Amino acid sequence: MFEFAIRDLMRRDGCTAERLGGAGDNACDVRAVDPAGRVWAIQCKHRRDGERGSAVGVGVLQQVNGTARQIHGADIAVVLTNGRFSSKATPWGRQHRIHLVDRHLLSQWAAGPHPLWALLDRLPPAHRPPKLP
């Protein structure tokens, strides 16, 4: 299942992460805490047809905006898809501090040596100093 793969990628990168997905998840499929102490609320949208499937639109972002910080205590809100986002979703997400991870960025994260936070911009500062190796 898509949400479990995302949870496992967050764990790979040193986070504590749990899958919440399903009915009553309040628009958060994966909740994680990164090594810097930041809380992540990740809403996953799997598209059977990938980029050829329907685009993730503003409605999904609005749901995340209403729950990520208020209900899940997130410092970082993310909507992640193996597909694409609508043309209106990108500026809306930026305006509301919701990070969008499309198929290309997801592929880069999954295949590469960098954690997701190294691939995103405009992240809040760490709550605690990162652990040294």
Side-chain angles (χ1 to χ4, degrees), residues 2 4-5 9 30 32 52 59-60 66 85 90 94 106 113 121 125-126 132:
F2 192 53
F4 288 108
L9 282 169
V30 176
R52 292 182 304 277
V60 172
F85 291 95
T90 301
R94 182 171 289 278
L106 173 59
D121 62 352
L132 299 175

Side-chain angles (χ1 to χ4, degrees), residues 70-89:
Q70 299 85 337
I71 292 175
H72 300 290
D75 299 301
I76 302 167
V78 176
V79 177
L80 183 147
T81 183
N82 68 322
R84 59 190 171 86
F85 291 95
S86 72
S87 61
K88 293 182 180 181

Side-chain angles (χ1 to χ4, degrees), residues 104-110 112 114-121 123:
H104 300 288
L105 188 56
L106 173 59
S107 177
Q108 184 181 356
W109 174 37
H114 301 292
L116 183 56
W117 52 90
L119 303 174
L120 301 175
D121 62 352
L123 292 179

